[in-house]
Amino acid sequence: MGRDTLILLTNDDGVWAPGIRALAAGLAALGEVRVVAPLAECSGTGCRITLKDPLRVRPVERGGVPFGLGVEGSPVDCVKLAFRVFLPRSPDLVVSGVNQGANLGVNAFYSGTVGAALEGAMLGVPSLALSLARFTDPDFRLSVEVGTAIARAVLGRGLPGRTLLNVNVPPLDPGEVRGLRLTRQGTGGLREEYERRTDPTGRDYYWIKGQPSPGTKDETSDDAAVRAGYVSVTPMVADLSLRGGPDGLDGLEGLLRGLLPERGEG
Amino acid sequence: MGRDTLILLTNDDGVWAPGIRALAAGLAALGEVRVVAPLAECSGTGCRITLKDPLRVRPVERGGVPFGLGVEGSPVDCVKLAFRVFLPRSPDLVVSGVNQGANLGVNAFYSGTVGAALEGAMLGVPSLALSLARFTDPDFRLSVEVGTAIARAVLGRGLPGRTLLNVNVPPLDPGEVRGLRLTRQGTGGLREEYERRTDPTGRDYYWIKGQPSPGTKDETSDDAAVRAGYVSVTPMVADLSLRGGPDGLDGLEGLLRGLLPERGEG
């Protein structure tokens, strides 16, 4: 670490959010930090990429000093553009956050914070997604402390291929946090409803209304750890393939192969 | 199967695309098909959800007869709205497609086609994503035949929890297809570059330019199967957690736990 270490920092709350600024300051202790982040808030964009629109990029100052590049695109666009255009070389670490609000359970799939870290992992670089489980009046100090410590550890030892760490910090004071747990992605998450409304011209529309999820009882899950007051660290892999052997798929292979008998070379 | 079977059909090319219409006709042999799909093309939207905008919905006719509902939102929005608002009950199967263009390797993460099927799996219903590996002059007949046969098989035996099948059909005539392979998600995919351009007012912008990926040599991968002339069926799970034991993570747990020593109850 030090001057030779290059860290790409992005987020999904946008380049103007408080969380990314706090984290940039913390990560500066580990090396050179390059910020490339969306100009607009991009919550809920998952792994979205912009295929059919131009991407504008402009330098952003915060507090009167250069802060980074703002992109009219998604968090994944930012990571791709940084790798392909703006960074002098592949970075040693990609960090995404600090997100204002948890990214636990199924919500990891909708999260632009996690999406950016998935992209980093797919591009072959160890990656972290970092979120604080609180929307209002966030205090990022503990998240930055934890995130920087984990970043230092990951820079020191690396991660397996295509792996990222999805870190969620409970909304507690440092003295109240109970420790750190390695977890699995839970099945809890947004339990959404839709509210039907009518606009001033008489046309109906629907608006998503998230309900707090009861979460999962599984103690190994990410949401259970945060609920219990732990920092949750979920090792994730950019690979959706069903794990393990044919468990639960017994017979499926034969059934499917039977649909389309294999032919020889011709 | 039959009159009691309920199938939700969506896509990411939009409710007006040829692929969804062809598939709706094929799936009608298996039960009642309800179409809820985006009004606009949504390629590259992954698992995006619309959090901060209203979702408008309107009935769509094709060929002078009712076809389904069009939504001003993403494929995942369509699945959520269908489950929460428009379907009389949870469907027996969610199908997404036929997409015009392959969804192989890392591209599965960016794919709205796969995103919709992931959402179905997260909502507890067996799901299929179906794509034809050809953009121009697509002939959907083989895709519809294969997709309908796989849908019938899945309706008959189910899938494990949170599982979907990502099906990619090679751009061949039925007589040329060599068979069907159960595969893993490969690491190939879009090898993008960005082209820098200047707009009429003198401002720079970037535009993504996909390059054909060389793909992976791994014979078990999705892209290798399609390249070799097979229908690729990748069982996927809506769970990003790193597979298996601590392989590759040796020492990480201790290292991380040491960052934040565990505290007792108080």
Side-chain angles (χ1 to χ4, degrees):
Chain A
M1 282 165 267
R3 277 303 93 188
D4 292 339
T5 299
L6 183 62
I7 299 171
L8 172 64
L9 176 60
T10 191
N11 75 345
D12 79 354
D13 288 333
V15 72
W16 301 107
I20 193 170
R21 190 178 187 187
L23 188 53
L27 292 174
L30 306 181
E32 185 183 358
V33 179
R34 296 281 189 104
V35 172
V36 183
L39 281 161
E41 201 211 304
C42 290
S43 297
T45 50
C47 290
R48 176 173 189 272
I49 52 172
T50 302
L51 294 173
K52 309 215 162 171
D53 289 296
L55 293 167
R56 294 181 191 284
V57 182
R58 66 182 175 89
V60 166
E61 288 194 354
R62 295 187 67 170
V65 295
F67 181 66
L69 296 174
V71 176
E72 288 178 5
S74 72
V76 169
D77 291 331
C78 291
V79 174
K80 285 185 183 287
L81 267 172
F83 272 69
R84 302 298 185 209
V85 180
F86 295 113
L87 294 180
R89 64 176 176 84
S90 189
D92 303 295
L93 185 71
V94 174
V95 183
S96 178
V98 183
N99 190 64
Q100 208 161 323
N103 282 306
L104 296 164
V106 301
N107 292 328
F109 280 101
Y110 314 125
S111 161
T113 307
V114 175
L118 273 167
E119 183 64 29
M122 287 194 274
L123 290 170
V125 172
S127 299
L128 302 183
L130 183 60
S131 306
L132 170 60
R134 184 179 174 95
F135 278 108
T136 49
D137 298 325
D139 178 340
F140 291 109
R141 283 176 296 181
L142 175 64
S143 300
V144 170
E145 183 190 325
V146 167
T148 303
I150 294 175
R152 181 182 279 116
V154 169
L155 282 166
R157 73 175 299 291
L159 288 177
R162 293 203 280 170
T163 301
L164 57 140
L165 301 179
N166 184 31
V167 181
N168 281 272
V169 178
L172 300 172
D173 289 331
E176 297 171 333
V177 174
R178 293 186 55 200
L180 184 151
R181 266 196 203 157
L182 278 193
T183 57
R184 295 181 57 80
Q185 183 184 9
T187 55
L190 199 69
R191 173 154 304 192
E192 67 280 329
E193 293 175 8
Y194 287 88
E195 200 169 290
R196 184 177 180 154
R197 297 182 168 202
T198 305
D199 76 13
T201 65
R203 292 189 305 171
D204 286 342
Y205 60 92
Y206 295 85
W207 208 301
I208 197 169
K209 191 170 72 168
Q211 296 294 317
S213 158
T216 45
K217 287 188 185 149
D218 179 1
E219 279 250 322
T220 68
S221 74
D222 49 8
D223 58 307
V226 170
R227 248 191 346 268
Y230 292 86
V231 172
S232 165
V233 179
T234 312
M236 290 183 164
V237 62
D239 181 2
L240 293 164
S241 309
L242 192 66
R243 287 136 186 72
D247 283 0
L249 286 176
D250 284 339
L252 181 67
E253 182 156 8
L255 192 66
L256 293 178
R257 281 185 194 277
L259 302 177
L260 210 65
E262 195 146 332
R263 289 186 181 85
E265 281 286 353
Chain B
M1 282 166 266
R3 277 304 93 190
D4 293 337
T5 299
L6 182 63
I7 299 171
L8 172 63
L9 175 61
T10 189
N11 75 344
D12 80 352
D13 288 332
V15 71
W16 301 106
I20 193 171
R21 189 177 187 186
L23 189 52
L27 292 174
L30 306 181
E32 185 184 357
V33 179
R34 295 280 190 104
V35 172
V36 183
L39 280 162
E41 201 210 304
C42 290
S43 296
T45 50
C47 290
R48 176 171 189 273
I49 51 172
T50 302
L51 295 173
K52 310 214 161 170
D53 289 296
L55 293 167
R56 294 181 191 282
V57 182
R58 66 181 176 88
V60 165
E61 287 194 354
R62 293 187 68 170
V65 295
F67 181 64
L69 295 173
V71 176
E72 288 179 6
S74 71
V76 169
D77 291 331
C78 291
V79 174
K80 285 186 183 288
L81 267 172
F83 272 69
R84 302 298 187 209
V85 181
F86 296 114
L87 293 180
R89 63 174 178 86
S90 189
D92 303 295
L93 184 71
V94 173
V95 183
S96 178
V98 181
N99 191 65
Q100 207 160 322
N103 282 306
L104 296 164
V106 303
N107 293 328
F109 280 102
Y110 315 125
S111 161
T113 306
V114 175
L118 273 167
E119 182 64 30
M122 289 195 273
L123 290 171
V125 173
S127 298
L128 303 182
L130 184 60
S131 306
L132 170 61
R134 185 180 174 94
F135 278 109
T136 48
D137 298 324
D139 179 340
F140 292 109
R141 283 175 296 180
L142 175 63
S143 300
V144 169
E145 184 190 324
V146 167
T148 304
I150 294 176
R152 180 181 281 118
V154 169
L155 283 166
R157 74 175 295 292
L159 288 176
R162 293 202 281 170
T163 301
L164 56 140
L165 301 178
N166 183 31
V167 181
N168 281 273
V169 177
L172 301 172
D173 289 331
E176 297 170 335
V177 174
R178 292 185 55 200
L180 182 150
R181 268 196 202 157
L182 277 193
T183 57
R184 295 182 57 81
Q185 183 182 10
T187 55
L190 199 67
R191 174 155 303 193
E192 67 279 329
E193 293 174 8
Y194 287 89
E195 199 170 291
R196 183 177 181 155
R197 297 182 169 202
T198 305
D199 75 13
T201 65
R203 293 189 304 171
D204 285 342
Y205 60 92
Y206 295 86
W207 207 301
I208 197 169
K209 191 170 72 169
Q211 295 294 319
S213 158
T216 44
K217 286 187 183 150
D218 178 1
E219 279 249 323
T220 68
S221 74
D222 49 9
D223 57 308
V226 169
R227 248 190 347 268
Y230 292 86
V231 172
S232 166
V233 179
T234 312
M236 290 183 164
V237 62
D239 181 2
L240 293 163
S241 310
L242 192 65
R243 286 136 188 74
D247 284 359
L249 286 176
D250 284 339
L252 181 67
E253 182 156 8
L255 192 67
L256 293 177
R257 282 185 194 276
L259 302 177
L260 210 64
E262 193 145 333
R263 289 184 180 86
E265 280 286 353

